[in-house]
Amino acid sequence: MAIKRILSPFNWLLSTVYHLIIDLVDLLMRPLQNILGVRGMAYVFILPNLLVFGIFILFPMLLNFYYAFTGGTELFPENRPFVGMDNLNQLFTCEDFLSPNSCREDLFWRAVLNTGGYVISQVALLVFMALITALSLNRNIRGRGFFRSVFFYPVLLSPVVVALIWRWILLQDGVLNAILVSLGGERISFLLNAQWAQFWVIIISVWAQMGFFTLILLAGLQAIPTEFYEAAGIDGATAWQSFWNVTLPLLMPNLFVVLVLSLIRAVQVFDQVFNFTGGGPGTATTYMVQYVYTTGFANQTKEYGLAAAASLVMAAFLLILTVIQLRLGRRGEIS
Amino acid sequence: MRTVLTFLTNTRGKKRLSLSDWLTYGYLLLGTFLMFGPVIWLVMSSFKTQAELIRFPPRLMPYRQEVATVAGYDEPLALYDVTLEDGTIRHLAQVRRVGIEAQMVDPAAPEEIIRVNINQRTPVETIYFSLENYTLGTERFNFWVYLGNSVVVTVAATALTLLINSMAAFALSKYQFPGRDAVLVTTIGTLLVPLSVILIPVFLVLQGMGMLNNLSGVIIPAAATPTGVFLLRQYMLTIPDELLESARIDGASEWRIYLQIILPLARPALAVLTIFSVMWRWNDFLWPKIVLSKSELFTLQVGLASFGGELQVQWDLLLAMTVLTLLPITFIFAFLQRYITSGIATTGMK
């Protein structure tokens, strides 16, 4: 109440200014409306967003194709010679696709394989943990709001912050190694060992993203009418049976959204890992986006064509995922 | 402890806790530890002195060794508890250390030097939250410049996002015009095109428009968020068209309708988008990193990343700067968490 009284002159000022702005805009825009008509104004409203959108998203999307099919190290399109499929060919020149050393662009294939391994294990762990957490939070427990916030909090942290927090924990002299030593173990250089680095990249991304997907699943769980469970209970179903026969089928749409969103996000893994391991040790945690970034920006010779071709490959990958989502999503609606 | 236990075991409706209840609480408490633990560890570490930071095994609380000014010595001397040969423990100040022998004095009687083995003394320590990392860090790290850039980017981009997204959402929800569906489909379609896929051409466009190394290059491109347009449009669809019709009959122009009717009614959706946009822009890393290469233009995230990417990482300062970077978002979350969680649950967007 007191706050409201203090703010009331401020509010009054704000609303006066706002009405002045309305009158001014009204005065300026009315002639335009007289020319374009009511319907024409729709284009005026949509124009700024469409401009920004077109210049910074749509146009670059088209331009990406141009880069992928031209060569050289020049940034400006007019200086780039057309090379056709050369860039894509270079990416796909490989004796054996499963052993990157036999490929012309071995780093690319390493990145592809790393990404594949990461996507599969990260998404599986992420969806599983989010489901467990959502089921726990959906129970009749005390402090539900508190626990929900707790699991959500890391979602708000930036990838840089998340990476630094965990680097600090995993240092050679860090707290995790201290715990290991106190339990009688040996110190481990987590981020200097390929397998450990890959493991921790997955763990910290699950840590950072879980709360978000938990919320989507929780919303789905809460939308399931309690009558269904009561009916299952009357029929003598055990908790396990009602989970398999009531919860899981009814949660499917949400589970599906979670699966696809997490897949799409996993394919694009970059900034967190970049600040966490820098892609190392060696190339153990170099993923596709980092390949694009290194090839196009960070390397001394900037091979824009190659980087653009690689991002086309990635876009195709994402497109397939999206199409699967739309297909299955539609089937889910019908059944 | 007893009351806490009865409080926790008092479930709604049911009399006693079942095994699955215990498991649930166990899981949630473990989860709380795993989710908050790393952040708390970071915050605790940021208050530690350099000496305490390199100590292994580390301790949770930040400690500082007590010192005393002793007559006859210019510098304050470090205090130790010393176990003497007769078994008594005395409070002594260390003058110097020679090999395994330490020369100590009693602060009350500083004339007599007592020689003891270094293993017979333990430092006298008290819990002390040192702010040195923060003061030194903000100087060394150019914190205020980065903070200023981050605030400018976040505020300007959010204001611009709210304006152009709500205008577009208004057009897409309240007008029938040729091309509307095409715009809608491309908008939703690009939800799926991540920046990472179009890095190279975006870089060219930014260069062509003179936006490289310019904060506007971070602010403007990010403003046309498909998520925002989509979220606002869904909300505006629920505003009845009759309101607009009667305003038109009263002679209101389309801009007046937008500013005076639509925007005030769409306030809840605008609030959600504001929170989202602040989060997105504050935490952005890849886009600002591409646009900004001059260090005086860095945002906090880019600055923090380059500070953390140095060959010799200065953890003492870096930890404090990390805490300062996550602080604003944490405050926003503490006050608006209900808004944020319900906003995400209903829109499924981040």
Side-chain angles (χ1 to χ4, degrees):
Chain A
M1 267 289 118
I3 294 172
K4 259 192 184 153
R5 210 173 308 138
I6 295 164
L7 284 179
S8 73
F10 181 70
N11 275 341
W12 175 83
L13 186 72
L14 215 62
S15 91
T16 313
V17 171
Y18 189 62
H19 278 92
L20 270 174
I21 293 174
I22 294 177
D23 290 341
L24 188 69
V25 173
D26 190 46
L27 197 71
L28 290 172
M29 291 296 173
R30 205 172 269 276
L32 192 65
Q33 187 177 330
N34 290 339
I35 301 167
L36 294 173
V38 169
R39 205 196 260 181
M41 288 309 279
Y43 293 105
V44 176
F45 281 114
I46 210 162
L47 190 68
N49 201 71
L50 210 57
L51 266 182
V52 176
F53 192 69
I55 294 172
F56 296 104
I57 299 175
L58 277 183
F59 178 58
M61 271 169 68
L62 298 176
L63 207 58
N64 203 42
F65 284 95
Y66 185 85
Y67 273 96
F69 297 108
T70 52
T73 51
E74 294 286 335
L75 178 64
F76 287 98
E78 59 270 25
N79 302 334
R80 298 178 60 83
F82 182 76
V83 296
M85 301 293 285
D86 277 9
N87 289 321
L88 280 168
N89 275 339
Q90 188 174 342
L91 287 182
F92 283 91
T93 306
C94 229
E95 278 164 32
D96 174 8
F97 285 109
L98 288 177
S99 74
N101 283 331
S102 70
C103 300
R104 198 157 151 216
E105 272 300 305
D106 57 330
L107 185 61
F108 176 71
W109 283 102
R110 254 178 253 280
V112 170
L113 291 181
N114 284 344
T115 309
Y118 169 84
V119 167
I120 291 168
S121 27
Q122 197 258 1
V123 168
L125 187 65
L126 179 63
V127 174
F128 178 74
M129 294 305 291
L131 182 62
I132 298 271
T133 313
L135 286 170
S136 306
L137 290 173
N138 195 40
R139 292 174 61 93
N140 194 6
I141 50 163
R142 281 176 185 275
R144 187 153 73 178
F146 168 75
F147 285 123
R148 195 178 57 179
S149 308
V150 164
F151 281 93
F152 186 74
Y153 175 64
V155 174
L156 299 174
L157 302 178
S158 78
V160 183
V161 167
V162 170
L164 289 174
I165 288 178
W166 283 93
R167 263 170 64 187
W168 174 239
I169 289 174
L170 297 173
L171 275 183
Q172 180 94 40
D173 293 332
V175 64
L176 195 69
N177 269 320
I179 294 171
L180 272 183
V181 167
S182 77
L183 294 175
E186 291 273 309
R187 281 195 227 186
I188 301 170
S189 315
F190 289 111
L191 299 185
L192 297 179
N193 172 299
Q195 273 85 37
W196 276 115
Q198 287 168 341
F199 170 81
W200 283 108
V201 162
I202 291 167
I203 296 296
I204 71 163
S205 66
V206 170
W207 182 80
Q209 295 176 18
M210 197 175 90
F212 172 67
F213 294 106
T214 301
L215 276 188
I216 299 181
L217 290 180
L218 191 59
L221 284 174
Q222 286 173 343
I224 298 175
T226 47
E227 290 83 34
F228 284 38
Y229 292 108
E230 285 160 15
I234 291 168
D235 289 345
T238 61
W240 189 243
Q241 280 171 328
S242 65
F243 171 72
W244 275 109
N245 298 318
V246 179
T247 312
L248 217 49
L250 287 172
L251 193 62
M252 260 316 155
N254 292 63
L255 215 48
F256 194 71
V257 168
V258 165
L259 189 69
V260 173
L261 279 182
S262 59
L263 272 174
I264 290 176
R265 222 189 268 182
V267 173
Q268 300 168 30
V269 57
F270 175 64
D271 22 17
Q272 206 163 284
V273 182
F274 185 69
N275 286 294
F276 185 54
T277 62
T283 53
T285 56
T286 300
Y287 302 109
M288 282 172 86
V289 174
Q290 191 174 342
Y291 173 80
V292 175
Y293 178 81
T294 333
T295 321
F297 290 95
N299 277 355
Q300 280 295 311
T301 47
K302 300 185 180 358
E303 301 193 69
Y304 297 113
L306 215 52
S311 56
L312 276 189
V313 174
M314 212 173 89
F317 212 48
L318 289 171
L319 192 70
I320 293 168
L321 282 178
T322 313
V323 170
I324 294 174
Q325 175 200 19
L326 292 176
R327 276 282 164 78
L328 289 177
R330 206 164 289 148
R331 197 192 297 161
E333 270 163 34
I334 294 164
S335 59
Chain B
M1 196 59 214
R2 188 65 185 269
T3 47
V4 173
L5 207 65
T6 39
F7 169 77
L8 279 174
T9 50
N10 230 344
T11 53
R12 284 181 238 157
K14 282 179 286 177
K15 280 280 180 293
R16 292 185 58 201
L17 283 175
S18 64
L19 175 68
S20 55
D21 287 329
W22 281 110
L23 283 176
T24 308
Y25 279 115
Y27 173 74
L28 291 177
L29 288 174
L30 179 72
T32 307
F33 173 72
L34 291 178
M35 291 288 141
F36 270 167
V39 180
I40 289 169
W41 181 249
L42 167 83
V43 174
M44 283 308 194
S45 304
S46 74
F47 290 110
K48 289 177 182 169
T49 58
Q50 179 82 44
E52 187 68 16
L53 280 175
I54 55 171
R55 185 192 155 96
F56 187 88
R59 295 178 286 193
L60 175 64
M61 300 301 281
Y63 285 92
R64 178 177 67 164
Q65 187 168 12
E66 287 288 280
V67 291
T69 332
V70 181
Y73 298 94
D74 297 336
E75 297 283 311
L77 302 178
L79 283 174
Y80 289 85
D81 276 327
V82 179
T83 318
L84 295 177
E85 271 154 32
D86 55 359
T88 54
I89 294 175
R90 279 178 74 184
H91 218 53
L92 298 177
Q94 175 172 295
V95 179
R96 70 174 68 84
R97 184 186 148 178
V98 185
I100 57 155
E101 189 190 71
Q103 301 180 358
M104 321 282 284
V105 291
D106 189 336
E111 298 80 26
E112 180 202 1
I113 293 214
I114 307 162
R115 289 161 206 278
V116 294
N117 188 292
I118 52 164
N119 294 325
Q120 284 170 299
R121 53 185 197 140
T122 48
V124 180
E125 291 173 316
T126 47
I127 292 176
Y128 176 73
F129 288 84
S130 158
L131 289 175
E132 202 181 317
N133 296 336
Y134 287 88
T135 49
L136 204 63
T138 43
E139 271 171 41
R140 202 77 66 72
F141 172 71
N142 230 347
F143 177 79
W144 300 110
V145 175
Y146 299 164
L147 178 75
N149 291 337
S150 268
V151 169
V152 167
V153 166
T154 305
V155 171
T158 300
L160 195 63
T161 302
L162 288 175
L163 180 69
I164 69 176
N165 282 8
S166 66
M167 282 167 63
F170 175 47
L172 290 172
S173 62
K174 292 294 167 207
Y175 295 93
Q176 295 287 341
F177 59 89
R180 187 185 75 160
D181 291 343
V183 173
L184 206 56
V185 168
T186 32
T187 307
I188 295 170
T190 46
L191 264 178
L192 305 161
V193 179
L195 164 68
S196 46
V197 170
I198 51 171
L199 275 181
I200 312 297
V202 158
F203 185 73
L204 173 80
V205 170
L206 287 166
Q207 182 157 56
M209 302 194 64
M211 282 179 163
L212 285 185
N213 273 319
N214 192 327
L215 286 184
S216 70
V218 185
I219 295 166
I220 297 171
T225 61
T227 316
V229 175
F230 191 63
L231 187 143
L232 292 175
R233 175 179 176 267
Q234 294 308 94
Y235 196 87
M236 287 178 187
L237 283 175
T238 63
I239 298 174
D241 289 340
E242 289 77 23
L243 274 178
L244 279 71
E245 283 310 319
S246 57
R248 283 192 189 116
I249 291 167
D250 289 346
S253 72
E254 298 307 300
W255 273 91
R256 187 176 281 280
I257 290 173
Y258 162 71
L259 289 169
Q260 209 163 351
I261 298 175
I262 298 290
L263 281 192
L265 285 176
R267 261 204 317 234
L270 289 170
V272 171
L273 181 59
T274 308
I275 297 170
F276 279 10
S277 172
V278 167
M279 269 162 36
W280 291 330
R281 298 292 85 85
W282 188 265
N283 288 340
D284 241 0
F285 171 69
L286 189 52
W287 194 294
K289 177 154 176 66
I290 289 171
V291 177
L292 311 169
S293 55
K294 285 193 189 136
S295 79
E296 67 265 28
L297 290 171
F298 279 180
T299 60
L300 271 178
Q301 307 295 343
V302 179
L304 202 60
S306 78
F307 203 42
E310 281 170 9
L311 223 49
Q312 278 296 321
V313 179
Q314 291 173 285
W315 277 107
D316 48 341
L317 309 183
L318 186 61
L319 293 171
M321 294 307 102
T322 310
V323 172
L324 287 181
T325 307
L326 67 78
L327 217 52
I329 284 288
T330 306
F331 268 118
I332 292 175
F333 180 61
F335 288 111
L336 302 176
Q337 48 109 345
R338 236 156 244 286
Y339 239 126
I340 299 173
T341 46
S342 65
I344 284 173
T346 48
T347 59
M349 306 280 179
K350 189 213 155 190

